[in-house]
Amino acid sequence: MIRLQELLDKVSANNKNADLDLIRRAHDYAASLHEGQKRLSGEPYLSHPLAVAYTLACMGFDEATIVAGLLHDTAEDTTASIEDIDANFGEDVADIVDGVTKISTITFDSREEAQAENIRKMILAMSHDMRVLMVKLADRLHNMRTLDFQKEHKRRRIAQETMDIYAPLANRLGLYLLKRDLEDLSFKYLQPDVFNQITHWLDVHQVVEKHIIDKVVGLIRNLLDANGLQGHVYGRIKHKYSIYKKMVSQSLTLDEMHDIMAFRVLVKDTQDCYAVLGLVHSQWTPVYGRFKDYISMPKANGYQSLHTTVIGPEGERIEIQIRTEEMHKQAEHGVSAHWLYKEKKHINSKDLEQFSWLREIFERQGGESDSKEFMCSLKMDLFKDEVYVYTPKGDVKELPEGATSLDFAFQIHSKVGQHCAGAKVNGRLMPLNTPMKNGDVVEIITDQDRCPNRDWLTMVHTAKARSQIQHYLRTEERTRAIALGEELLEKEGRKLSINTAKEIKNGNLKIVANDFRFESVEDLIEAVGYSRLTPRKVLNRLYAVLHPESVAAAAQQKTIAPKESKDATSRKSDGVGISGVDGVLMRFAKCCNPVPGDPIIGYISRGMGITVHRSDCPNVANMELERLISVHWEGTEEKPYEAGIFVIAQNEQGVLASISEVLARNNINISGLNMETLVDGRAKLRFLIEVKNAAQLYQVIEYIRAIPTILEVVRETEVDDV
């Protein structure tokens, strides 16, 4: 357990003028509030906030952040309020604690939704103060270090979330040390057998590896001294998860791993970095394709360094990183370096030019109302390595690995992306889904008549492009739905002598929209266009608004309209309902012919109401998720429903008569029949029959299957375009 004095010593080491009394008061305040509380490990609860505060002190944060680390659980788990913290420790501390608390105190319907929304709030908290996220990351690190005391299923869930979100986020913020620890701890719980295997292998080989490290460090130091260069040289074994990733990516066993050692050379200026690189390459043979210049092209998180891999003195591949002291501080501490070395207290995303990707997330999240959609976009932002692509003018654009020329178009500007008609890569016309490579020169060809379509979503790999395409498609779909809704209302209104355009101007349709609990008239008309509401239902309500004096207003809701056709009436329900909604047009999909008893799902077909499919219909997998809607069977009315059955039989005399006899005996009507004779003496028969429910259908299938000449009988489902 971390002691208060250890925390104070660490703070003093970074800042001799730090307000240690403020930290002491926060410690005593937290100790009194958490008194009697225990961790699952049995330790006093205070051990946790002390560990969080110590991590923040090691990262070099200011007193306010460290105090917030000590108090981060008080507003949630004790009697203290944010107002109390404000009164005792100031607004700065209270704001950080409040931001951390709000992330974790909201309840949701599902664990997935909770995870998505909590991550969303954590990301958004950075727009106010980056230190909120730093406290949350330090909190997660200590929770991972004490994960042994959780139940196994919780260990795996927390470790997976850490690997998926927190470690990549730390990496994006340039917090290398934090990212390394989070990855190794997650790896330990997600793949314990592999983790233990690597640990044992490193223990067995540590003497040999240490010998090689000491030898290479000595040789590089001699190389610097001989050429009058000042610098520091360090060697280490790569961390365990990094070794595992290399094993997987290169399909190697542990005994085949040769470049698990990394060396770092720190010099005083950029010129010396390139000088050391030249000396290293003159001393040892560089490995082709393994040199990266992150000084001239920094990573998205601000990381700068030269990376090269050479064949070392023992014939081993060794990776050498060369950077300045300032670059090293940025590499180790990332965003926290802005507090440690610039003594800047309140920093948000606008202060950090290298975190432009964060600002894009802040700006984009407003258009991603669904938390899971936001989560998908966030993972796209966090996980990929970068490639650097040039415009024809020589400007460099950074894209995630795997990004296409269409991603590049949206990276230039949203309008360029929306009207992208083609791309020239290195002077050659290439498809829009062509992946970009480092150094590609890309020219985008635009056409004002070209607009995004749904297929574009399969071509892009950046959250920015995906979000803008989805926003365009949603806007276009809404525009079309409103236009269709207006047309349907106008057409139906003529039958009732109602001028809908006039009533919109008069504000009467606004009253109807309010009655249906829509925020605007446009939302009401959109619902009609999407067939969520029938034009007749809206106009009946509008008629009542226009003629309130009518004695028969209530009856008028049912009788003012001309009599609907039998077909239209049957399409309105057919025994299928949507919770909280009535009067919506319904029809059954011909591809799967659902019958009562089948699990079903609805699909909003523009201008055609809800199309009801069986849940296991193959076509459902290809449908737009946002247009799927839950439906259910309702009522006890017995009526015939069409269903298809597919039969393969021996082509013998009387086979059709045998099947017809079985159907007639069970009072099943045949509404359609198709027969095909095969050259191998078999026959294919497709029946469209009328049944009352799924139970009756499958019972009939069993009866047919019992006929001696029948080889196979299945319910038929066709895969159609939807």
Side-chain angles (χ1 to χ4, degrees):
M1 176 175 168
I2 300 294
R3 302 295 177 185
L4 174 60
Q5 192 56 50
E6 294 176 75
L7 174 62
L8 296 175
D9 290 344
K10 179 58 69 175
V11 174
S12 297
N14 290 331
N15 181 6
K16 294 179 180 178
N17 299 318
D19 187 352
L20 300 183
D21 184 57
L22 179 68
I23 297 172
R24 288 191 188 95
R25 287 197 297 111
H27 170 270
D28 295 343
Y29 187 71
S32 64
L33 289 169
H34 290 299
E35 187 176 6
Q37 295 179 355
K38 298 282 187 182
R39 299 269 290 171
L40 289 177
S41 63
E43 285 187 307
Y45 194 88
L46 187 63
S47 63
H48 173 62
L50 268 169
V52 171
Y54 187 79
T55 296
L56 294 167
C58 291
M59 293 165 70
F61 280 99
D62 60 333
E63 300 97 301
T65 313
I66 294 165
V67 169
L70 286 168
L71 304 178
H72 76 276
D73 278 336
T74 54
E76 183 179 353
D77 295 335
T78 75
T79 57
S81 66
I82 296 299
E83 290 73 19
D84 294 334
I85 295 172
D86 191 346
N88 286 284
F89 301 98
E91 183 181 356
D92 213 15
V93 173
D95 283 347
I96 300 172
V97 175
D98 188 35
V100 174
T101 303
K102 283 178 178 176
I103 293 170
S104 54
T105 57
I106 300 172
T107 57
F108 299 93
D109 295 333
S110 68
R111 178 172 294 159
E112 292 77 13
E113 183 186 0
Q115 183 204 43
E117 194 60 24
N118 285 338
I119 298 297
R120 180 189 184 110
K121 289 182 178 294
M122 181 175 67
I123 298 297
L124 295 180
M126 289 189 288
S127 63
H128 174 63
D129 194 333
M130 295 287 288
R131 292 173 294 180
V132 173
L133 176 62
M134 297 304 119
V135 174
K136 195 66 183 174
L137 287 171
D139 173 54
R140 176 53 63 110
L141 177 62
H142 186 248
N143 284 334
M144 288 299 298
R145 286 173 173 167
T146 56
L147 205 55
D148 276 335
F149 301 98
Q150 292 281 0
K151 294 180 180 178
E152 183 177 355
H153 72 280
K154 285 190 175 181
R155 289 201 295 264
R156 289 193 63 83
R157 176 173 60 80
I158 294 170
Q160 190 65 61
E161 182 183 64
T162 303
M163 187 69 87
D164 285 347
I165 298 297
Y166 287 89
L169 192 54
N171 179 54
R172 266 296 203 167
L173 294 171
L175 303 168
Y176 170 75
L177 298 177
L178 186 60
K179 168 246 188 188
R180 180 197 64 192
D181 289 346
L182 289 174
E183 283 183 340
D184 276 355
L185 288 165
S186 300
F187 180 40
K188 173 184 174 182
Y189 293 105
L190 292 174
Q191 299 192 62
D193 292 342
V194 182
F195 179 87
N196 292 332
Q197 182 185 0
I198 293 175
T199 301
H200 176 70
W201 188 88
L202 290 175
D203 289 342
V204 170
H205 292 80
Q206 63 178 333
V207 174
V208 176
E209 306 297 346
K210 187 177 186 306
H211 164 72
I212 296 175
I213 289 173
D214 290 344
K215 182 175 182 178
V216 172
V217 167
L219 289 171
I220 296 176
R221 282 176 179 160
N222 292 338
L223 201 60
L224 295 180
D225 293 341
N227 290 273
L229 292 170
Q230 296 181 350
H232 303 282
V233 185
Y234 306 94
R236 61 179 175 84
I237 299 294
K238 293 180 179 179
H239 68 286
K240 293 168 188 175
Y241 184 65
S242 175
I243 293 173
Y244 169 73
K245 284 199 300 182
K246 192 174 289 289
M247 287 172 60
V248 172
S249 65
Q250 299 180 13
S251 300
L252 300 173
T253 65
L254 274 171
D255 290 332
E256 293 171 330
M257 291 285 291
H258 296 296
D259 53 346
I260 64 170
M261 290 171 286
F263 297 86
R264 188 170 295 140
V265 182
L266 305 183
V267 292
K268 63 178 182 178
D269 57 38
T270 302
Q271 184 177 344
D272 286 351
C273 291
Y274 290 98
V276 172
L277 177 69
L279 292 173
V280 167
H281 282 181
S282 66
Q283 182 77 16
W284 296 300
T285 304
V287 177
Y288 176 76
R290 296 298 302 273
F291 168 67
K292 293 182 180 179
D293 185 348
Y294 292 119
I295 292 180
S296 60
M297 290 186 181
K299 288 188 176 184
N301 59 16
Y303 176 88
Q304 289 184 288
S305 186
L306 297 177
H307 288 198
T308 187
T309 300
V310 298
I311 306 299
E314 302 284 335
E316 291 275 343
R317 284 188 176 195
I318 56 174
E319 180 183 301
I320 301 175
Q321 301 170 355
I322 308 165
R323 61 181 72 142
T324 66
E325 292 280 359
E326 187 172 345
M327 292 174 190
H328 180 62
K329 293 170 186 175
Q330 175 68 35
E332 295 283 292
H333 299 281
V335 65
S336 64
H338 289 262
W339 279 272
L340 186 58
Y341 303 106
K342 297 185 180 179
E343 297 181 355
K344 205 170 186 180
K345 290 188 176 181
H346 192 87
I347 295 183
N348 60 38
S349 65
K350 293 181 180 179
D351 298 317
L352 307 175
E353 192 57 40
Q354 69 266 41
F355 297 121
S356 58
W357 63 276
L358 273 179
R359 290 199 296 279
E360 286 185 11
I361 293 177
F362 301 146
E363 293 165 3
R364 194 174 62 242
Q365 65 84 29
E368 295 171 340
S369 56
D370 181 73
S371 295
K372 292 181 181 178
E373 182 181 323
F374 174 80
M375 197 74 158
C376 178
S377 296
L378 177 62
K379 288 182 179 181
M380 292 175 76
D381 278 313
L382 293 182
F383 271 103
K384 300 287 186 179
D385 289 332
E386 299 85 18
V387 294
Y388 299 92
V389 183
Y390 294 88
T391 68
K393 293 183 178 180
D395 296 330
V396 179
K397 296 293 180 182
E398 178 190 281
L399 292 165
E401 191 176 34
T404 64
S405 50
L406 187 56
D407 287 301
F408 179 80
F410 278 99
Q411 187 76 6
I412 295 173
H413 196 279
S414 59
K415 290 185 178 179
V416 174
Q418 287 177 1
H419 299 296
C420 178
K424 286 184 178 179
V425 180
N426 302 323
R428 295 177 59 194
L429 196 61
M430 301 293 286
L432 289 178
N433 61 352
T434 303
M436 300 290 93
K437 300 188 296 295
N438 270 322
D440 280 348
V441 178
V442 183
E443 178 185 356
I444 299 299
I445 303 166
T446 59
D447 181 349
Q448 291 304 308
D449 294 329
R450 186 72 180 267
C451 296
N453 59 65
R454 196 159 291 277
D455 290 341
W456 283 17
L457 292 173
T458 65
M459 300 183 190
V460 295
H461 289 74
T462 60
K464 179 178 182 179
R466 186 176 186 83
S467 177
Q468 292 191 3
I469 293 168
Q470 286 177 328
H471 176 72
Y472 177 86
L473 293 175
R474 280 196 296 265
T475 303
E476 286 298 298
E477 286 181 357
R478 174 176 165 84
T479 301
R480 287 196 295 268
I482 290 172
L484 178 59
E486 289 175 343
E487 182 183 340
L488 292 172
L489 286 171
E490 181 183 351
K491 183 177 179 180
E492 196 70 17
R494 285 198 292 267
K495 297 178 183 178
L496 305 175
S497 300
I498 296 176
N499 185 330
T500 53
K502 177 183 176 183
E503 300 311 325
I504 291 174
K505 284 185 179 180
N506 293 340
N508 289 320
L509 208 59
K510 176 63 175 174
I511 298 172
V512 176
N514 292 337
D515 287 346
F516 281 108
R517 297 184 179 179
F518 288 103
E519 292 186 2
S520 68
V521 173
E522 278 196 345
D523 291 342
L524 173 68
I525 298 173
E526 178 192 5
V528 174
Y530 273 126
S531 297
R532 297 188 183 114
L533 281 175
T534 62
R536 182 56 54 87
K537 190 176 182 70
V538 173
L539 292 169
N540 283 348
R541 190 71 62 90
L542 178 59
Y543 188 92
V545 171
L546 296 174
H547 304 282
E549 72 288 348
S550 174
V551 177
Q556 196 74 13
Q557 292 280 336
K558 299 180 181 178
T559 61
I560 57 171
K563 188 175 181 181
E564 297 183 68
S565 68
K566 182 179 178 181
D567 179 59
T569 303
S570 67
R571 286 184 295 151
K572 283 172 54 172
S573 66
D574 274 329
V576 176
I578 309 171
S579 298
V581 180
D582 58 4
V584 178
L585 300 179
M586 295 278 189
R587 67 187 182 100
F588 292 107
K590 294 297 183 183
C591 55
C592 57
N593 289 308
V595 299
D598 288 331
I600 53 176
I601 192 165
Y603 183 71
I604 300 171
S605 304
R606 298 184 189 91
M608 301 175 67
I610 306 296
T611 304
V612 180
H613 290 258
R614 293 199 338 244
S615 297
D616 60 352
C617 175
N619 290 321
V620 171
N622 300 319
M623 293 176 180
E624 299 169 27
L625 293 179
E626 60 268 25
R627 289 166 61 188
L628 292 173
I629 186 170
S630 296
V631 294
H632 59 270
W633 297 104
E634 62 180 17
T636 57
E637 178 186 6
E638 290 193 355
K639 54 179 290 184
Y641 292 84
E642 286 190 339
I645 57 174
F646 174 76
V647 181
I648 295 181
Q650 294 173 0
N651 190 16
E652 296 181 2
Q653 185 176 358
V655 64
L656 184 57
S658 300
I659 298 172
S660 299
E661 183 184 352
V662 168
L663 295 174
R665 191 166 60 242
N666 289 275
N667 298 316
I668 302 295
N669 182 49
I670 301 174
S671 57
L673 170 63
N674 182 278
M675 183 173 178
E676 179 185 354
T677 302
L678 304 177
V679 293
D680 60 359
R682 296 182 302 156
K684 287 183 180 179
L685 300 98
R686 290 180 172 84
F687 290 88
L688 199 59
I689 62 176
E690 295 178 347
V691 295
K692 295 176 181 177
N693 51 49
Q696 186 183 32
L697 172 62
Y698 288 112
Q699 187 179 47
V700 167
I701 288 175
E702 288 302 317
Y703 289 150
I704 296 174
R705 191 171 284 141
I707 299 173
T709 54
I710 300 302
L711 302 175
E712 183 180 355
V713 188
V714 294
R715 185 174 180 182
E716 187 175 39
T717 300
E718 298 176 359
V719 180
D720 294 337
D721 293 332
V722 295

